[in-house]
Structures are given as C-alpha cells and as structure tokens.
Amino acid sequence: MGYYHYEVTDFLEDQYFKSWVLTPSQETCDFWNNFLLTHPEKAETIAGARAVLLGIRSEMEADFPTDGQVSAMLDEIHTRKSSASRWPMRRLWLRLGASLSAAAVVLLVIGWARQPNRHDSHVSYEELLSAVEAPLVEQTNTTTSPILLTLPDSSTIRLQPKSSVSYRKDFVRNALREVYLSGQAFFTVTKNRHRPFVVYSNELVTKVLGTSFMVKAFEDAKQVEVCVKTGKVSVFPRTDTEVCEGIASPELAGTIITPNQKVLFSREQTQLRKGLVDEPEILASAVLPAPLLKFQDMPVSVLLNNIEETYGIDIVYDHRLFGECLLTASFTTESLYEKMDLICKGIEASFEVIDGKMIVTGRGCN
Amino acid sequence: MLWQRFRQGDEEAFTLLYQRYVRVLYSYGKKLIADEAVVEDLVQDLFIDLWQSRSRLADAESPRFYLFRSLRRRIHKNCNGRFNERWDLIDEEFHPVALPKESEIIESEQTQKQKDELDAWLKSLPGRQYEVMMLRFYQDFSYSQISQILTINEQSVRNLVQRAVSKLRQLTISILSSGLFLFFLK
C-alpha cells in the first residue's frame, strides 16, 4: 500500500481509512496502529484527517432531531399525504370519462347549493380596515411603477401603482399573518405552516402557508383575480362562514388553486370560477420530470402526460381515441397554448380550457 | 429494492425510507436554516411530495442522492434571496480561521481541549466549504453528485474541499507539537 505518501485529502478519500475512523474493527485498528508505528512521520496527517471525519460526524449528529420529533413529523406526513393525494384522483377522473358529464351536473348542483346569500354584497377596503381593532401599518403606491415591500416575517409584496396594503402593527405576534389589499399585488410568502398567511381583498379571502401568488382586487372592478405562481393557495368568499372558521388551521379549504391556475371571483354573483393563467409556465420543481422538447413517433398520451406534469395542469381526453396517435415534432420556446395548438393540429383535434383543465376533443386518428 | 417497493406504493417501504434518511436530512437542513419549524416543514413537504410523485420517479437513482438534492432545492427556493446572503455570497475573509495559540496548547495536557480546537476549526469554515466537506466525507457523495446538489460545477466542488483542507493543514502543524496524535493510539 502506498499510504506513506498520502496527504490529508488522500486519506479522507480512502474508504479503508474511513471505515477505520468511523466504524473501527479489530482488523482495521491493528492495521492502522501498525502503520503509525512504522511511519510516525504520517501521524500529523492522519491526526488531521481523522479529526475532520470525527468532527463532521459529531457536528451532524448534534443536530439530529429527537425521536419524538421524528415520529411527530412522520404522523403529520401520513395525514397530509393522504389528504392531498391529487394524482390518484386524476387517474380516476380520466378512467371515469363516460360518467364525466353526470358528475359535472352533480358538481354544478352542489356548487349552486353552496352559494352564500347573494344579497350580502360588496365589501370595500375601508370597511375591511374599520373592522380591525388593532393599530395598522398602511403602505400605498402612489408612483407609476411597482414597489417592493418586505413584511416583518420576510415575505415580500410587489405592490402595483394605485394599490394599498395594510397589516397590523403586531403582525409578527398575531396567530395569523393578515394583510388587507386594495388593488393589485404579487406576494411571495415565506413558509410557516403554523401561521397561515391571509390576504383580504374585497369580498375574497386568500389563504396560503408559503408560496407566491398575485391578487388583483380594485375597488371599482367587477371581479377579483388570484393567480398562483408556486405552491398551493386556498380562495374563498368572506361569506363562506364554514371555511372562515377554520382559517387559523394549517388545512387548506375552499377552492384550491395550484401553479398556473387562477380564480376569477365575480363580485356581482359572488361566484368563483377556475381557469388557467394567461401564460402558463413550466414549473420549477425538484421532483418533476424535464419537459420533452424533441420526440419522434411518440404516443400522444406520453406527450400530454409530460405536459400535465411539467405545467402541473390537468388535460382531459379520450385515451381510446388519441392515446395511440404518434407524433414527431420539436418544441423550442413555444408557450403552453402554442404547444397544445401544434399537438392538436397533428392529431386533428381541438382543445379548450374549462374549469382550469384542458379538454381535448376530436375524432381520433384511427 | 426498498426504492422499488416504495415506487409501487408500499407504505411500509415509504416509512422505512423516512426512518433511514430523516435524521441526516433534518440535520443538513438545520445547517442551512436556523429556524427549526421551517426545517421540519421542508422535510415533511419533501416526503409528501416524494410519496405523491412516486410513480414518476426514475428507477436507477440513489434515494439518498435524490432526497438530498430535492431538499437542497427546496431550501434554496424557500429562502429566496436571504439564502444567498448567508451562504453563497459570504466573503471567506469574514470567517478567519481561529488558529489556537501554540503556547496555550503545549501547556494543556487535555486532549479534550485539542478536540475543541478542531471543532472550532470546523465551525469557522465558510458555509459552502463546510457543506461540501460534509457531503463528501460524511455522506460519501461523489464529486459529480455534489456538484448536482449544489448546482455548481465539479471543479468548484474540488476547489472548496482543497481550500478547507489547506486551512486544516495550518492548524494541525500548530497543534502537532502537543502530541495530539497520541489520542488515537489508545
């Protein structure tokens, strides 16, 4: 063995050396003690390398969570992963193809029945503020370009011209992080499951745990708009008392929107409608696959599946008609809509956006 | 094996994966973010997301590498600009290596004290250098894997290790005279 000319880094890289330091056995101890006796000039180097390995290990272990923490976290993971399993849901959705329309009717009826009292009409920013008892901090953008504000919890607000936000002076100590908005703003919220972040704008309430999203709620506009860039956002009318009661809990109730989706709230009809944002973007996510850019004789189902995953949207189509169609093409900088146009041209189909989903229809290619 | 069982939706395999990696992941997160509640959340989100996207995960990938890379990205995303301030843009000169005074060490006969000096060296390493040392020599990731976790190129990873080790060399020379090397001959 050439250990006599090793430097610190060489020892650190050496598996046999490492196994002696971190998990010593009789055999490795004998070997290295013997080596040190015959090469005392390496003692310094070995001492250094050994100290590094042991030091890093003890540093890491010092920050290990307690057993209590480990099991508490696991419990929460189990509850949350089963309550938010959207992928199995979607597969079911596709399989049910035929009974779709029936389901839609049921949903419509439920939606209608759940609608709050209609005569309970407009709520203004001023009215919202007057209902708050604690002293408030208010910021108004009177310039002609957006301004960037930072909240005490490090969340940021990009406030558009002619818009105002207010929050309580004791923002940090309050159980909820509450912000009141008039106009348009983009929020980037730092994550804290224990203190939900809530935006009140006109009659609409938006609740998040940590994400980024835009709210557009001008006093004189007919509708309020919420678009999601990252994470998950829950939106509901102020009049939905059932949801409002659970506002401090980390559960997200009401209408949930995910990246690239938006919600339009009609102030006249106090009605929520889901849609897609004008220019959907590819999601930046650690676990999602890369978008397909070039493909040859690829089944359309694979391609649409990739688009669903990379944009985080749902595409509804008939697998029997389109699943086996083959496509050859390449994408460069096309937007989602342009990509869908190209695909649909290739399989002689058309698409439309309904309730935040893309619906592809046509005669198929058999 | 475990990974394949997990990908097929085996809850038990998922729990085993969690038990196996949660401690090191949490500890890694703690090194990058001080707030415990935030680290807990990020680690939980990581596993929830892992479960929900299990059917779309690649086969050959090492679970440990996969988890570390995802957690690092999450942390980066969650902290936006603030993260950079602390880790990426820190001028290394702000963290001078505190070399122990030689005379002090010769006087002390306790190996504990010398161990403390080395701990102090570790703690004084700039964040990135420490992170790379930890990933390479505690987690056994290859240089190419580390470069993917940190999204920097492989040569930069090697440079960071070299810089950390060269500081160590200065330190060991100064404490050698105290006979530190004897502590592992026991």
Side-chain angles (χ1 to χ4, degrees):
Chain A
M1 294 234 186
Y3 284 129
Y4 57 87
H5 61 71
Y6 266 38
E7 291 301 326
V8 173
T9 331
D10 303 318
F11 280 116
L12 290 175
E13 300 279 0
D14 188 85
Q15 283 306 330
Y16 189 64
F17 177 79
K18 264 164 93 171
S19 73
W20 167 57
V21 175
L22 297 175
T23 48
S25 68
Q26 189 60 47
E27 194 251 320
T28 50
C29 282
D30 288 350
F31 174 86
W32 286 101
N33 282 335
N34 190 40
F35 177 81
L36 278 162
L37 288 174
T38 48
H39 299 90
E41 75 282 1
K42 292 317 277 184
E44 171 205 341
T45 317
I46 287 182
R50 194 182 140 98
V52 170
L53 292 177
L54 293 174
I56 294 178
R57 181 168 72 180
S58 71
E59 270 271 291
M60 284 301 284
E61 285 174 356
D63 269 333
F64 274 4
T66 62
D67 288 348
Q69 255 176 310
V70 168
S71 58
M73 280 162 73
L74 183 62
D75 286 346
E76 199 176 330
I77 288 171
H78 277 305
T79 21
R80 276 172 58 203
K81 86 176 170 26
S82 43
S83 69
S85 52
R86 60 197 169 104
W87 300 112
M89 277 290 282
R90 198 189 56 199
R91 244 172 262 131
L92 190 68
W93 181 249
L94 287 175
R95 218 178 297 136
L96 286 180
S99 50
L100 235 180
S101 51
V105 170
V106 175
L107 279 178
L108 264 178
V109 171
I110 294 174
W112 176 74
R114 269 179 66 92
Q115 259 178 44
N117 299 340
R118 291 187 182 202
H119 55 261
D120 200 350
S121 72
H122 294 194
V123 180
S124 73
Y125 175 66
E126 294 307 325
E127 283 169 313
L128 284 172
L129 294 191
S130 61
V132 184
E133 281 161 13
L136 293 163
V137 182
E138 180 169 45
Q139 307 256 23
T140 302
N141 185 358
T142 50
T143 68
T144 51
S145 52
I147 55 171
L148 191 71
L149 309 171
T150 306
L151 292 172
D153 70 336
S154 301
S155 298
T156 58
I157 303 177
R158 205 176 140 84
L159 192 64
Q160 293 293 327
K162 293 185 202 139
S163 304
S164 307
V165 285
S166 297
Y167 52 90
R168 291 163 66 136
K169 274 209 173 110
D170 58 354
F171 184 82
V172 205
R173 273 166 289 147
N174 210 5
L176 283 176
R177 298 178 281 173
E178 294 174 303
V179 171
Y180 303 87
L181 168 74
S182 163
Q184 182 176 352
F186 184 83
F187 297 85
T188 304
V189 176
T190 54
K191 192 150 193 143
N192 187 340
R193 280 182 52 74
H194 309 289
R195 296 181 57 229
F197 189 102
V198 181
V199 179
Y200 299 94
S201 50
N202 295 342
E203 301 82 29
L204 200 67
V205 184
T206 308
K207 173 176 147 186
V208 305
L209 303 172
T211 119
S212 54
F213 61 99
M214 190 275 293
V215 178
K216 192 167 158 187
F218 285 99
E219 208 79 39
D220 47 4
K222 284 213 170 62
Q223 50 189 14
V224 183
E225 186 177 334
V226 180
C227 301
V228 179
K229 189 159 163 69
T230 62
K232 234 189 256 175
V233 167
S234 126
V235 187
F236 45 92
R238 282 179 64 81
T239 42
D240 192 334
T241 44
E242 198 183 310
V243 181
C244 287
E245 274 164 20
I247 198 161
S249 81
E251 306 313 312
L252 291 180
T255 302
I256 308 282
I257 48 176
T258 50
N260 287 332
Q261 290 191 328
K262 71 174 174 188
V263 141
L264 286 174
F265 175 75
S266 151
R267 302 181 68 186
E268 285 303 317
Q269 293 149 326
T270 55
Q271 216 169 35
L272 281 173
R273 200 157 50 84
K274 243 193 207 183
L276 290 182
V277 297
D278 298 335
E279 280 171 23
E281 286 173 22
I282 289 176
L283 307 181
S285 160
V287 297
L288 296 178
L292 287 170
L293 295 177
K294 266 199 174 141
F295 37 87
Q296 205 165 12
D297 287 337
M298 177 173 283
V300 168
S301 53
V302 176
L303 187 56
L304 291 178
N305 198 30
N306 180 264
I307 290 183
E308 284 187 301
E309 287 170 352
T310 49
Y311 285 90
I313 55 162
D314 284 348
I315 303 178
V316 180
Y317 63 100
D318 191 327
H319 275 248
R320 284 166 306 171
L321 290 178
F322 298 110
E324 299 306 314
C325 304
L326 300 180
L327 270 183
T328 299
S330 64
F331 291 143
T332 49
T333 56
E334 284 86 359
S335 71
L336 172 64
Y337 291 104
E338 287 165 342
K339 284 180 188 169
M340 287 302 291
D341 264 336
L342 284 173
I343 294 171
C344 285
K345 236 174 232 161
I347 57 175
E348 291 179 23
S350 60
F351 75 95
E352 57 188 326
V353 178
I354 298 174
D355 192 30
K357 297 181 171 63
M358 288 200 155
I359 316 284
V360 177
T361 47
R363 280 178 303 169
C365 44
N366 295 324
Chain B
M1 281 305 108
L2 193 57
W3 189 245
Q4 270 149 358
R5 273 174 51 209
F6 153 71
R7 280 175 58 228
Q8 285 154 12
D10 184 336
E11 293 250 4
E12 198 190 331
F14 174 73
T15 309
L16 282 171
L17 272 175
Y18 170 83
Q19 293 288 4
R20 186 175 295 176
Y21 298 115
V22 68
R23 288 173 186 81
V24 282
L25 287 167
Y26 178 90
S27 171
Y28 180 43
K30 272 287 284 172
K31 292 274 179 286
L32 301 173
I33 297 184
D35 189 337
E36 247 175 58
V38 176
V39 177
E40 275 185 22
D41 272 354
L42 289 170
V43 172
Q44 283 169 350
D45 288 352
L46 172 68
F47 278 99
I48 290 165
D49 211 3
L50 184 74
W51 175 258
Q52 286 170 352
S53 40
R54 63 187 180 279
S55 57
R56 292 169 290 151
L57 297 175
D59 190 18
E61 220 172 355
S62 132
R64 200 165 48 90
F65 169 62
Y66 177 84
L67 289 166
F68 268 82
R69 194 187 52 185
S70 310
L71 181 65
R72 186 56 158 79
R73 290 187 192 172
R74 268 161 207 278
I75 289 171
H76 199 89
K77 237 166 71 185
N78 187 57
C79 298
N80 295 322
R82 288 177 299 130
F83 185 78
N84 291 341
E85 275 169 40
R86 211 179 132 204
W87 289 92
D88 299 343
L89 301 176
I90 283 179
D91 186 339
E92 302 197 348
E93 297 314 307
F94 286 139
H95 289 258
V97 177
L99 288 177
K101 291 191 200 103
E102 210 170 329
S103 57
E104 223 175 292
I105 283 173
I106 293 170
E107 282 163 21
S108 153
E109 290 190 350
Q110 294 165 325
T111 49
Q112 182 56 41
K113 170 138 178 68
Q114 290 143 359
K115 211 178 144 288
D116 290 348
E117 302 288 355
L118 280 158
D119 286 350
W121 164 77
L122 268 180
K123 288 208 173 75
S124 73
L125 282 181
R128 278 250 162 168
Q129 287 182 24
Y130 178 80
E131 197 178 356
V132 167
M133 294 290 281
M134 191 281 284
L135 292 171
R136 177 70 193 114
F137 301 120
Y138 179 68
Q139 285 299 326
D140 269 323
F141 286 120
S142 71
Y143 283 101
S144 128
Q145 284 174 321
I146 298 173
S147 80
Q148 289 173 58
I149 292 172
L150 300 185
T151 57
I152 57 178
N153 69 45
E154 216 176 302
Q155 191 51 47
S156 311
V157 178
R158 288 177 190 277
N159 293 346
L160 285 166
V161 169
Q162 276 311 328
R163 242 176 291 160
V165 172
S166 74
K167 280 184 193 166
L168 174 77
R169 200 166 296 141
Q170 301 165 23
L171 184 70
T172 49
I173 288 169
S174 70
I175 52 179
L176 176 69
S177 50
S178 66
L180 170 74
F181 62 93
L182 287 176
F183 82 87
F184 52 80
L185 284 175
K186 283 183 284 190

